[in-house]
Amino acid sequence: MDVMSIVQQNKEYLCDLRHEFHMYPETAWNEVWTSKRIREELTKLGIPYVEVANTATVATLEGKKKKPVIGLRCDIDALPVQEVKNPPYKSRNDGVMHACGHDSHITMLLGAAKILSQHKDELDCTVKFIFQPSEEVFEGAKAILDTGVLDDVDNFFGMHIFPYLPVGTISVDAGPRYTSADTMKIKIIGKSGHGAMPQFAVDPIYVGCQVVNALQSIASRELDPMDTTVVSVCEFHCGTRCNVIERVAELTGTVRTFSPEDRKNLPVIIERIISNTCSAFRAEYEFEYIPGPPAVINDPVCSQWAEEGVRKILGDEGVIHYRGISGGEDFALMLDRAPGVYAFVGCRNEANDQCYSLHHERFDLDENGMFNGCALYVQYVLEAQKHLQEK
């Protein structure tokens, strides 16, 4: 199968789909229209599917052999971002935008489903197409996995459109791709009083600032500087008037690392710093640590298969190496169940003003990157089924 040639023949189909999904974005767990539209396309293609976890859809295409089962996953939710650019397909849902490119992810996977269903005679495996909701809040993958519908999957493959790489390149490096993504909630409990007489109060804002400063010593002084660790306080709420010292300050932040060992130790380290800092300034505290998805780690063998696929669709120049990043992805939970790969698909084109970061209000993509991602979904199946059959 000449995969890239077939994808090029479907360019209009893919662009039309992406523009439609872009116009009607829906946030996490609200993807009702999106899921309905996905299921309409699957019905047209004659691919059976099941509806699970509210707005999730898992479709199954059986080839000449039932095993192995290869799971291709995309995410479908949008973000509460107001789009400021004015393409013909601009979001019609005020305050909601596909600022993370999930509209293209849906399109790439539906395109792959179309191509693979039309070439089913070349499949020596079963393919499951996983349209996952609620990735942005790290809830959708677990919800699908808990239903058991993916228990038979032998290998997972996912990808993200990536504006940090030039269009025409794809990274499928082995090893760390995304850090774990945990949440910390801190309550600093002081003593209220008059802002002009702080000696009679315990100021939770002051104590909270010392806590924030002290937490930055974790990455710089407690852990190996060669390891990636991020401890960021991103919310700090306290106060109602200019002359009132409030009793309580509430802080929320994110904790990220590639290292499973560091991830285990970080809650203990963080609480020790909070406890001792609060004690030094006569405050009390409450601390909650909420585990999120673990790190996304690409299996080295599967990464080799994916690299073979990239070379076949884009040539040697299509393979690019890119370090792991401190974003989070609940696709990690799928990779905990079975080995697989997560790809970064370049879509950057500065000449066309398609160069903004993910989650940016001006985000857009060079759709040639979308065509490449669609082709890689298909090519990965062809590579993986061959190697998995050899096992």
Side-chain angles (χ1 to χ4, degrees):
M1 187 193 313
D2 184 348
V3 174
M4 185 54 80
S5 176
I6 296 169
V7 169
Q8 292 297 321
Q9 294 167 21
N10 284 275
K11 285 171 63 174
E12 184 176 357
Y13 170 79
L14 294 169
C15 288
D16 287 348
L17 269 182
R18 188 242 165 172
H19 296 169
E20 186 178 2
F21 285 117
H22 191 90
M23 286 191 290
Y24 302 103
E26 297 169 305
T27 55
W29 293 130
N30 297 307
E31 313 95 334
V32 176
W33 176 89
T34 305
S35 296
K36 179 175 178 289
R37 188 69 188 85
I38 289 167
R39 293 161 188 168
E40 286 174 356
E41 284 302 308
L42 292 169
T43 299
K44 290 178 189 176
L45 297 172
I47 304 175
Y49 62 84
V50 293
E51 303 174 16
V52 296
N54 297 316
T55 50
T57 305
V58 178
T60 302
L61 179 66
E62 288 190 3
K64 291 179 290 185
K65 298 180 180 178
K66 290 192 174 183
K67 296 288 278 184
V69 179
I70 300 170
L72 304 181
R73 176 268 201 177
C74 79
D75 35 20
I76 70 172
D77 52 330
L79 287 161
V81 172
Q82 182 69 48
E83 186 167 15
V84 299
K85 293 177 78 172
N86 288 290
Y89 47 87
K90 183 178 180 179
S91 172
R92 274 33 170 194
N93 294 342
D94 191 52
V96 184
M97 176 191 174
H98 270 298
C100 203
H102 295 186
D103 52 340
S104 67
H105 298 176
I106 303 166
T107 301
M108 292 188 291
L109 192 54
L110 283 173
K114 179 182 180 183
I115 292 168
L116 288 169
S117 66
Q118 291 172 343
H119 295 80
K120 193 163 63 169
D121 58 331
E122 298 185 45
L123 288 181
D124 291 320
C125 65
T126 294
V127 182
K128 289 198 170 184
F129 304 96
I130 307 158
F131 297 88
Q132 181 204 307
S134 192
E135 184 277 330
E136 294 291 355
V137 294
F138 302 142
E139 294 177 358
K142 183 179 185 301
I144 297 175
L145 289 165
D146 285 349
T147 69
V149 71
L150 302 180
D151 285 354
D152 59 346
V153 174
D154 300 296
N155 195 269
F156 286 104
F157 183 65
M159 64 177 69
H160 207 298
I161 209 76
F162 212 62
Y164 317 107
L165 293 176
V167 67
T169 64
I170 300 177
S171 164
V172 289
D173 296 71
R177 294 284 80 198
Y178 285 112
T179 56
S180 55
D182 300 333
T183 300
M184 59 179 179
K185 294 185 177 182
I186 306 164
K187 186 177 286 186
I188 308 294
I189 306 166
K191 181 181 178 183
S192 61
H194 198 296
M197 293 175 279
Q199 71 272 27
F200 299 119
V202 176
D203 185 355
I205 292 180
Y206 179 80
V207 179
C209 288
Q210 305 312 309
V211 168
V212 172
N213 285 333
L215 290 176
Q216 303 317 302
S217 70
I218 296 173
S220 66
R221 289 296 178 269
E222 291 213 34
L223 301 178
D224 189 332
M226 300 303 292
D227 292 340
T228 296
T229 302
V230 176
V231 181
S232 290
V233 175
C234 300
E235 294 181 77
F236 195 135
H237 301 287
C238 187
T240 56
R241 286 181 57 86
C242 67
N243 61 352
V244 174
I245 294 175
E246 290 286 345
R247 176 174 171 268
V248 174
E250 295 184 344
L251 292 70
T252 305
T254 189
V255 183
R256 315 237 169 170
T257 182
F258 288 124
S259 166
E261 184 66 21
D262 287 348
R263 189 186 188 208
K264 182 176 72 175
N265 294 331
L266 276 164
V268 177
I269 296 171
I270 291 168
E271 185 166 16
R272 187 197 74 224
I273 289 173
I274 296 168
S275 175
N276 289 331
T277 304
C278 286
S279 177
F281 295 101
R282 298 173 295 130
E284 297 179 345
Y285 76 94
E286 294 176 7
F287 176 62
E288 183 181 7
Y289 195 88
I290 305 167
V296 174
I297 309 294
N298 280 354
D299 179 85
V301 174
C302 299
S303 290
Q304 290 178 0
W305 306 344
E307 186 171 319
E308 291 173 22
V310 175
R311 293 186 192 280
K312 286 182 179 177
I313 63 172
L314 293 175
D316 292 346
E317 63 275 14
V319 176
I320 193 168
H321 298 290
Y322 195 85
R323 67 190 184 280
I325 63 174
S326 52
E329 240 292 354
D330 63 356
F331 182 69
L333 298 173
M334 296 184 186
L335 293 184
D336 273 358
R337 298 289 186 94
V341 185
Y342 197 81
F344 295 155
V345 180
C347 68
R348 185 180 185 86
N349 186 334
E350 294 187 23
N352 292 344
D353 198 39
Q354 294 155 337
C355 54
Y356 296 95
S357 174
L358 297 171
H359 294 205
H360 194 283
E361 61 188 3
R362 296 183 66 84
F363 173 77
D364 198 2
L365 58 105
D366 185 326
E367 290 180 334
N368 286 298
M370 180 174 72
F371 305 148
N372 297 338
C374 178
L376 185 56
Y377 268 134
V378 176
Q379 194 67 52
Y380 183 80
V381 169
L382 301 179
E383 301 302 321
Q385 70 173 6
K386 175 179 64 179
H387 292 288
L388 289 167
Q389 289 289 356
E390 292 172 355
K391 287 190 172 184

